[in-house]
Every structure is written in C-alpha cells, then in structure tokens.
Amino acid sequence: MNIDSLCKTHFDTKVAIVTNPKVAGLHLAYLLSKITAKELYIITVPDGEEYKNQESINTILESLFNHRFNRKSLLIAFGGGVIGDMTGYAASIYQRGIDFVQIPTTLLSQVDASVGGKTGMNNSYGKNLIGAFHQPRTVLIDSHFLTTLPSREFGAGVAEIVKMAVTFNKDFFDFLEIADLNDSEVLQEAIKQAVQTKADVVAKDEKEHGIRVALNYGHTFGHVIENETKYKRFLHGEAVAIGMVMANETAVSLDLMSKDEALRVENLLKKYNLPTSYNVESSSSFYETFFLDKKSSDTNITFIIPVGIGDVKITDTIEMQTVIDVLNQFGEV
Ligand code: NAD
C-alpha cells in the first residue's frame, strides 16, 4: 500500500488498465505518464453503478482472452469503487485468479472500497450479491485525483472516514472534529488513518465472520434508505451518514452513547454537507426492509451500534420496539 504521489513504475508483463470514459478523460494521461508495461491495454466499461454487472465483467474477460493474457498478467483498477469491485472480481476469476492493483480515484474508494479485498458485482436480486475475496497486490493512493471530484462525491467519502473513526478510533475522531479536510495535507493524513484503521480490522477478520462486520455501521439503516429512495436520491455515503445518525439514536436509547456524543457525530457529518435527517413514512415497513440485508437472518436483524465514540457493538438482540421508537423520531422531518 502506498499513500503518496504515484511513482514511475514499469511492469514487465502484460497489463490492462480497467477504467471508464469519465475517469479516463480526466486522468488517464497522468496515469500513463507514470505507468509503463511490456504490453499495455486500456479496457473501458460504461460509468455507473448500473453497469456493475455481468455484461461489464464479460467485456473485461473477453478483452483479456483477446489479448492472450496469461496467469502472470496484471489488471489495474483505475476509477472509483465500481471499477475497483469489477476489476477485482474479473481478476479473481480470470484463469482462476490473476493479480490486480488498485488505483482508486474517489475518496470513498481510497479510504474504503480499495482496501480489504472484497470484490463483486450486482444482479437483479440486489447489490454485491456475487463476488469473491481477492486481495489486490497493492493499493496506490494519490490524492491528486480528488481535485476533480464533485463535492457530493467528496462528502460521501467523508462519511466512510467518519464511520472508521466512530467505530474504532476515538483519537482519529477527535482529530477529524478540528480538521479541515478541504486542506490537502490534512486530507492526506485523514486518508492514511482511515486506511490504516480499515486494514487493521481486515487483518483480524478478512472474510467478515466477526469484527469486520462492524464496518457496516450506518449501512443497515442506510441500505433501507437507499432501497426506499430507489438508489436515486442519495449517494451511498449520504445514505450511510443518515444511517449512522439512526444507529447513534438507537445507541442513545440503549444508554450506549450519550446525547452529546451523538450530536458530535452529527455535527461532523453536517460540516461536510452530509444529510442527517430522513422522513420515515412507515416505521414498520422500514423495519421489514431490514430483512433484505445480507447480514440478517430470516428472524434476526444484525445491528452495528456505537458504544460511545471509538468502540462498537454487533448485536442481533435489539427489541423491535426499540428500533421502531427510534424510527418514529425520524417520522416528521
Ligand atoms: P463510483 O465508482 O461510481 O464513482 C462515483 C462517480 O465518480 C463515477 O461517476 C465515477 O466515474 C466518478 N469519478 C471517479 N473518480 C473521479 C475523479 N477523480 N474525478 C471526478 N469523477 C470521478 O462510486 P464510489 O463511491 O467510488 O464507489 C461506490 C462503489 O464501491 C459501490 O459499488 C460500492 O458497492 C463499492 N464499495 C465496495 C467496497 C468494498 O469493500 N469492495 C466498499 C465500499 C463500497
């Protein structure tokens, strides 16, 4: 893993850079000024979550067969989390697995999606239901790419940074409260700390059987919000921001977090223009939608609830009425 400006690197093998037209238009020339290879190919797939599917995977695989890639060849994921997830998945299945490198270009993918080796794609049954654990050979993070990122996408990445701090690292949270992430040096430091926090968690539980689940803080509620708004109104990180506020309210009602701590998290999210409120029209239908979550069983819902700031609890024993009461507080926004 390297968090700095990209260094000039030559790969003595066949390399395919997988990207989309938007990222290529903005940053491919810069990348090609740094990366060379024995043979270098560019594979583009359409931009957008709706293209994180089998058709795009086929486009990537066909191109690799066409150029006679072998097991020593390498893929480079060059884009946000969508490109990273698909490139990693294609690398995991091409000839039973070849190496890939992550060069993430959104804040969310730099601090979260590129780290930890989860890869995947969507199908008609839902998001990220097909995939594999396949660790990248390395992750190269260059904050230069973030200069062209729209502010909402930037905020979505900040939400995931706040997630890492609240769940695992109080000192990091204290740092974020006084930091200005619009300052590039401060941002670089925050990226380093977020990546380190995630890498430490993944090192303890790569396949998400235990503590790694806690990185889904804000996501259990957030996924329902994305589902109810048909993935159109909020970016993923924005839905997670509201989800964290809901998880915090749950923690307050269980005496696991003080009102003041919940307010500190909310204020930090607001500082980066992240949404923190949502009109829950029907608490019972919101609750039913929790059961679509991959972490939940047919009868129990797994919640990730903060314990103060810097610690977290994974539980599937919260009473339904407790959650409904919290959701009712969001009913008249
Ligand atoms: P994204 O990849 O869709 O990128 C968001 C938009 O920004 C796209 O239009 C993209 O082309 C554009 N873009 C990328 N880099 C840019 C740049 N430097 N300047 C301007 N525009 C740029 O979205 P994302 O938020 O990066 O990632 C979300 C995806 O990541 C989801 O599919 C999610 O499931 C996945 N994810 C995976 C993991 C994991 O552990 N594998 C973790 C979190 C999220």
Side-chain angles (χ1 to χ4, degrees), residues 170-245:
K170 180 171 183 316
D171 290 346
F172 184 27
F173 186 87
D174 293 342
F175 162 85
L176 289 173
E177 266 187 321
I178 49 170
D180 177 6
L181 297 180
N182 295 303
D183 177 302
S184 59
E185 273 178 32
V186 178
L187 177 63
Q188 180 105 338
E189 178 55 31
I191 293 172
K192 275 189 188 147
Q193 293 210 38
V195 167
Q196 194 54 55
T197 305
K198 177 155 184 189
D200 289 347
V201 174
V202 172
K204 286 186 196 132
D205 174 28
E206 184 188 355
K207 299 274 166 76
E208 202 174 279
H209 296 308
I211 192 66
R212 186 170 178 175
V213 174
L215 291 173
N216 291 301
Y217 162 55
H219 289 62
T220 316
F221 292 94
H223 284 153
V224 178
I225 294 169
E226 284 183 293
N227 185 296
E228 286 197 347
T229 54
K230 313 230 174 325
Y231 296 91
K232 288 195 188 338
R233 185 160 144 211
F234 299 109
L235 297 176
H236 173 68
E238 293 174 335
V240 168
I242 303 169
M244 288 192 282
V245 172

Side-chain angles (χ1 to χ4, degrees), residues 88-162:
Y89 181 55
S92 80
I93 56 174
Y94 184 77
Q95 297 192 353
R96 297 208 177 82
I98 61 173
D99 278 0
F100 81 114
V101 169
Q102 288 271 18
I103 306 186
T105 61
T106 62
L107 183 57
L108 185 142
S109 59
Q110 294 194 345
V111 298
D112 195 354
S114 66
V115 181
K118 272 200 210 171
T119 73
M121 61 166 185
N122 309 327
N123 69 0
S124 60
Y125 290 85
K127 281 184 68 177
N128 299 322
L129 295 179
I130 298 170
F133 286 95
H134 189 55
Q135 294 293 345
R137 187 196 284 181
T138 188
V139 183
L140 305 176
I141 295 175
D142 184 338
S143 52
H144 161 83
F145 298 121
L146 304 181
T147 53
T148 56
L149 203 61
S151 62
R152 276 186 71 193
E153 296 286 355
F154 184 82
V158 172
E160 302 286 4
I161 293 177
V162 172

